[in-house]
Amino acid sequence: MQTTSDAIASLDETTAEGTYSAYRIGCGPWQLAVNAQWATGILDSYALQPIPRAPQWLAGCTNVDGILVPVIDLLLLLDPAAASARGVGQRPRLLLGSHSPGDNEEAIGLLFTGLPQQVAITRSALPANFEAPPLLRGMARGLAEVPDGRLTIELDTHSLIDHFISQLDTTEHVSA
């Protein structure tokens, strides 16, 4: 199953205020929402190739329409201690996303469990006492108020990609 979006360029304009469409995905103990304009596809099946000497949270890469896409285990990136919260016996799905169309360094895949849900969300501020790992708090745009009332964190995909790239720029992960 793959979905495609045409309006990736206007991402920031549409998320500033009001209600918009997002994909809600499971990530261990959290429900995360990413703007539907950022998401370029959802894959149930994919071939994951390991990357030698990669950090544990970089699960590997996969070929999507001839483009190699790095795949992030978001749960391990956000909170390695929460890895035990992963669904047992569930093969993760892959949410593909990018801020720009085509072959680019911003294209990434995020592993998630369960079924993705397309929801209309309205952003509200994170409460000061909101319990979350520091990295997740830093990548959260706020809480996504969704119709079913489930606590959902709106993920800032720009921050996610910036963090991903900065982590790979460290010398300890550069392959010889």
Side-chain angles (χ1 to χ4, degrees):
M1 174 175 111
Q2 188 161 350
T3 60
T4 305
S5 172
D6 297 17
I8 296 170
S10 62
L11 178 68
D12 287 331
E13 298 166 11
T14 61
T15 60
E17 296 293 330
T19 301
Y20 65 94
S21 182
Y23 285 104
R24 181 170 57 187
I25 59 174
C27 178
W30 308 290
Q31 293 292 308
L32 305 177
V34 297
N35 193 299
Q37 292 179 341
W38 178 83
T40 59
I42 299 168
L43 302 176
D44 288 318
S45 62
Y46 49 91
L48 192 59
Q49 300 301 314
I51 300 172
R53 297 182 9 195
Q56 184 180 10
W57 52 264
L58 182 54
C61 66
T62 191
N63 185 327
V64 179
D65 299 328
I67 299 170
L68 288 179
V69 176
V71 175
I72 298 172
D73 186 330
L74 198 50
L75 183 57
L76 287 178
L77 176 67
L78 295 173
D79 187 8
S84 62
R86 186 182 321 277
V88 178
Q90 295 180 1
R91 174 168 166 80
R93 290 178 169 83
L94 189 60
L95 176 68
L96 302 170
S98 178
H99 294 300
S100 346
D103 183 10
N104 64 76
E105 65 183 31
E106 293 178 344
I108 61 171
L110 303 176
L111 293 176
F112 70 95
T113 55
L115 293 173
Q117 297 171 320
Q118 190 164 10
V119 293
I121 68 170
T122 303
R123 181 183 312 146
S124 65
L126 281 177
N129 63 349
F130 182 71
E131 295 280 330
L135 186 57
L136 180 55
R137 283 191 69 84
M139 290 184 189
R141 296 187 106 171
L143 290 179
E145 296 177 10
V146 295
D148 66 6
R150 290 176 65 192
L151 182 66
T152 303
I153 301 164
E154 180 188 9
L155 193 63
D156 180 348
T157 53
H158 283 284
S159 293
L160 172 65
I161 290 173
D162 288 347
H163 180 77
F164 167 66
I165 291 171
S166 73
Q167 291 299 299
L168 293 182
D169 282 344
T170 62
T171 56
E172 66 187 68
H173 299 300
V174 176
S175 57

